[in-house]
Amino acid sequence: MSHLVEDAPARRRFEILVDDALAGFTAYRQQSPDVLVFTHTEVDPTFQGKGVGGALMRGTLDEIRRRGSRVVPQCPFMAAFIDKHPEYADLVAS
């Protein structure tokens, strides 16, 4: 199972594709040029329990880090992921 996480700015969300099928997304709004507020994450039921949500979070947060941006994790899924993976805690905007 191959997956790809990519930003879809026209839809204001990061999407994860699994074998070219949309498996989930995490929606955001731009708070400032370098801060994204993540409001909602959804994984298609077909892909739940297969690590897709975690892969989506890792791919999204790695891209945020690469850009030098920060996040406001209003989405409970993202907030819980960051709590469990403190290596991403530095990306949370204060």
Side-chain angles (χ1 to χ4, degrees):
M1 184 166 68
S2 69
H3 66 268
L4 168 70
V5 175
E6 58 188 10
D7 191 4
R11 291 185 288 279
R12 294 187 314 275
R13 66 189 194 180
F14 279 81
E15 299 175 340
I16 185 165
L17 304 174
V18 176
D19 299 328
D20 297 324
L22 179 63
F25 65 87
T26 185
Y28 63 81
R29 64 179 170 79
Q30 194 91 35
Q31 179 173 296
S32 67
D34 63 343
V35 176
L36 297 177
V37 178
F38 284 85
T39 58
H40 178 71
T41 299
E42 203 169 296
V43 174
D44 184 292
T46 307
F47 296 98
Q48 289 178 0
K50 299 179 179 175
V52 170
L56 172 60
M57 290 297 105
R58 277 187 195 84
T60 298
L61 294 168
D62 288 346
E63 176 60 16
I64 297 295
R65 184 183 307 284
R66 188 193 68 72
R67 294 179 185 179
S69 296
R70 310 285 293 276
V71 301
V72 176
Q74 287 183 349
C75 165
F77 188 86
M78 179 177 275
F81 183 87
I82 292 171
D83 283 346
K84 290 178 188 157
H85 298 88
E87 64 271 24
Y88 293 111
D90 62 308
L91 296 177
V92 177
S94 49

